[in-house]
Amino acid sequence: MDLRGRAVLSVNRLQVLLMLFHTMVRIMAEQEVENLSGLSTNPEKDIFVVRENGTTCLMAEFAAKFIVPYDVWASNYVDLITEQADISLTRGAEVKGRCGLNESELQVFWVDRAYALKMLFVKESHNTSKGLEATWRLSKVQFVYDSSEKTHFKDAVAARKYTANSHHLSALVTPAGKSYECQAQQTISLASSDPQKTVTMILSAVHIQPFDIISDFVFSEEHKCPVDEREQLEETLPLILGLILGLVIVVTLAIYHIHHKMTANQVQIPRDRSEYKHMG
């Protein structure tokens, strides 16, 4: 290939790279993330919003706590004992996110990035007896923590950053076009890079929708978790039974009243013929 051909090829490659660069810059510029936790009446709950092209594409409200085991030296400085750090997601956290047609992601950082949470959501379609049905789910959770951070960790051995990941996760499964809501606590186990340690993530007061948001800053119809539905049924069942019992009593009294009235209006026919002479 002559020098002219090589020059043309280099220019073409440069143009392609510039186009890709401008596309990435435009996409990044069009994405916005907001931490609206100050609007929540629950001090433990955070509210995160990811917007793309001026429209809300991901909303998440939840309270999160992480139970992290770590090693410290025993008093004899020979043996190791396991302590536990309880780390809650705090308000004012830094948030990042991205939205896609079938994959969305939320990232949260707090305490000077000593802790980082990444949640990956996917939307899938499945063939069922009713036809093709689409659902979305939480497919991956990653939690990065720094055991040298002094607020939650006290004299941790081998203090450094560790990463805890979920394994074959399929949580918060929800029909496409709906949001997921669950007030009850849910736990997710995460395998830590700290050997033989498992981090427990506890979610509560959850309301999440990573796809198909129709109205800006407004969740779509809720898909409640089975625990909440059961608790709601347990709360309303006594009321339903009381209403049914009251209705049965009212109907019984009404039937008795009607029967008594009809019986009272009937003419009594004498059983003994001698009584006929007293009639008329």
Side-chain angles (χ1 to χ4, degrees):
M1 183 181 292
D2 57 10
L3 291 176
R4 183 182 229 172
R6 290 180 180 176
V8 171
L9 185 60
S10 297
V11 170
N12 289 337
R13 286 178 177 174
L14 181 60
Q15 288 177 339
V16 172
L17 289 174
L18 286 173
M19 288 176 63
L20 290 173
F21 175 75
H22 285 300
T23 301
M24 290 177 65
V25 170
R26 181 174 57 82
I27 291 173
M28 292 177 66
E30 290 174 350
Q31 284 189 340
E32 306 171 36
V33 289
E34 297 183 56
N35 186 337
L36 304 178
S37 302
L39 300 177
S40 174
T41 55
N42 182 348
E44 297 180 351
K45 186 168 72 172
D46 292 271
I47 304 174
F48 305 111
V49 175
V50 179
R51 307 181 80 234
E52 195 170 70
N53 299 324
T55 304
T56 304
C57 59
L58 185 154
M59 288 181 64
E61 298 182 14
F62 59 89
K65 183 170 73 172
F66 300 86
I67 301 175
V68 183
Y70 66 100
D71 292 331
V72 298
W73 290 113
S75 57
N76 58 11
Y77 290 97
V78 175
D79 300 320
L80 290 174
I81 59 175
T82 301
E83 295 287 349
Q84 178 178 291
D86 293 348
I87 303 165
S88 296
L89 177 58
T90 58
R91 288 192 169 185
E94 178 187 351
V95 57
K96 291 184 177 181
R98 62 179 178 87
C99 298
L101 184 62
N102 296 311
E103 189 174 290
S104 295
E105 185 178 277
L106 179 68
Q107 297 184 61
V108 186
F109 310 88
W110 66 102
V111 191
D112 296 325
R113 289 193 168 229
Y115 308 109
L117 169 65
K118 181 164 71 174
M119 305 171 76
L120 182 67
F121 305 92
V122 296
K123 185 166 69 170
E124 304 165 320
S125 295
H126 303 278
N127 284 315
T128 67
S129 58
K130 299 179 181 178
L132 195 65
E133 291 187 356
T135 59
W136 66 262
R137 63 186 173 89
L138 175 62
S139 64
K140 183 178 180 180
V141 171
Q142 183 182 82
F143 177 59
V144 178
Y145 60 96
D146 190 348
S147 60
S148 65
E149 195 273 315
K150 301 299 183 182
T151 305
H152 298 91
F153 295 91
K154 308 298 181 184
D155 302 318
V157 175
R160 60 181 180 86
K161 281 195 173 183
Y162 294 95
T163 302
N165 288 297
S166 59
H167 185 65
H168 297 309
L169 181 63
S170 182
L172 320 186
V173 180
T174 303
K178 292 187 177 183
S179 62
Y180 176 89
E181 186 177 31
C182 191
Q183 297 301 314
Q185 286 191 349
Q186 302 170 84
T187 60
I188 298 174
S189 296
L190 310 174
S192 176
S193 56
D194 190 359
Q196 299 181 340
K197 297 292 190 299
T198 299
V199 175
T200 301
M201 176 184 182
I202 302 175
L203 286 173
S204 60
V206 176
H207 200 177
I208 293 177
Q209 186 172 358
F211 303 100
D212 306 317
I213 295 178
I214 298 174
S215 301
D216 215 17
F217 295 107
V218 179
F219 284 109
S220 299
E221 179 186 353
E222 299 87 359
H223 171 75
K224 293 186 178 294
C225 63
V227 177
D228 278 9
E229 288 184 340
R230 186 165 56 249
E231 289 180 353
Q232 185 177 8
L233 179 62
E234 289 174 354
E235 291 174 359
T236 57
L237 190 58
L239 177 62
I240 294 172
L241 291 176
L243 289 174
I244 292 174
L245 181 60
L247 183 61
V248 169
I249 292 173
V250 170
V251 171
T252 302
L253 289 175
I255 293 174
Y256 173 78
H257 177 72
I258 293 171
H259 176 72
H260 179 73
K261 190 174 181 180
M262 291 176 62
T263 304
N265 291 335
Q266 289 179 353
V267 178
Q268 295 291 332
I269 300 175
R271 294 180 181 178
D272 194 336
R273 289 179 177 273
S274 61
E275 297 181 9
Y276 280 106
K277 63 183 178 179
H278 299 293
M279 297 179 63

